[in-house]
Amino acid sequence: MSKEEFLTILEHGLASLPPEERQEALRYYREYIEDGVEAGRSEEEVVASLDPPGELSLKLCREAAFSRAAKRPTPRNTWRALAAVFGVLSLPVTLPVALCLVVAALCVLIAAAAVIISAGAVIAAAVAAAIVMGVRAIWMLGAGLLTGSAAVFTVGLALCGLAVTIFAVIALSYVIYGIWRGVGQFFRWLGAAVRKIAGKARKGGENA
């Protein structure tokens, strides 16, 4: 197979990747083949030393899915990564492992989503309470309903509520950020685990 044939098939297989990622992969393998030719090997020999372009494109797409889910565990990237698990572990021997990994991933995502939603609800409630308390204090002062020590106490209470709200927003923001990073770490681990299991299954199939 020539270099251009290899790259054409590879490009077709990488059609699902973003253009910049696809071009980066094509550029890498183009330069790899050209470097091998400059070193004295024939173009066909260098191409033959690589994985078939169809298999290579699937591998690169899976790697990209896990990488995107690790960096940005959005619902879309998450489902692509879970689909990649089934794509890699599709053999009868490894399918139960794939199911277990997918169930574990779903449990992690559900738990993370529940915590994030709960934290968001707490933040929203704290902000709403602070706003209501502040507006009520300003209205009562403006209407002349509070004077003297009662006015000072009410203003102080509103300021304390505002301070607590700011602290809660900052603290819960760190919690949400930590959960986001944890989900990303989980998908990095999941990708490594799937690659390891798939490698062992492939070696076992070759030795059989």
Side-chain angles (χ1 to χ4, degrees):
M1 182 183 298
S2 68
K3 177 184 68 176
E4 294 304 325
E5 290 173 332
F6 176 89
L7 294 174
T8 298
I9 298 174
L10 182 62
E11 183 176 13
H12 179 74
L14 299 178
S16 61
L17 293 183
E20 58 274 10
E21 293 184 23
R22 182 168 62 251
Q23 293 304 318
E24 182 179 354
L26 292 172
R27 187 182 309 111
Y28 171 82
Y29 285 100
R30 182 183 297 277
E31 293 177 354
Y32 180 91
I33 296 171
E34 290 175 351
D35 289 343
V37 172
E38 291 179 1
R41 302 166 67 189
S42 67
E43 189 174 282
E44 289 74 13
E45 184 181 358
V46 179
V47 170
S49 67
L50 297 169
D51 290 334
E55 295 181 10
L56 185 59
S57 62
L58 291 175
K59 178 181 177 181
L60 293 174
C61 288
R62 289 193 296 260
E63 295 289 340
F66 286 120
S67 178
R68 282 194 295 268
K71 293 178 181 178
R72 297 183 67 249
T74 61
R76 182 180 181 183
N77 291 341
T78 296
W79 289 119
R80 286 183 174 180
L82 296 181
V85 173
F86 272 107
V88 177
L89 306 180
S90 57
L91 298 176
V93 176
T94 56
L95 188 57
V97 178
L99 292 173
C100 291
L101 290 176
V102 170
V103 170
L106 289 175
C107 290
V108 169
L109 292 171
I110 292 172
V115 173
I116 290 175
I117 292 173
S118 300
V122 171
I123 291 175
V127 171
I131 292 174
V132 171
M133 185 181 297
V135 171
R136 182 174 180 273
I138 293 172
W139 175 78
M140 293 180 72
L141 289 172
L145 300 176
L146 295 174
T147 59
S149 60
V152 173
F153 176 77
T154 301
V155 172
L157 187 63
L159 292 175
C160 288
L162 179 61
V164 171
T165 300
I166 293 174
F167 175 78
V169 170
I170 294 174
L172 291 175
S173 297
Y174 275 105
V175 170
I176 293 173
Y177 177 72
I179 292 173
W180 184 272
R181 285 179 57 87
V183 173
Q185 292 285 350
F186 171 77
F187 274 104
R188 278 189 281 273
W189 170 84
L190 181 64
V194 170
R195 287 190 292 271
K196 185 177 180 180
I197 295 170
K200 289 183 178 180
R202 190 179 298 111
K203 289 182 180 179
E206 292 174 352
N207 294 332

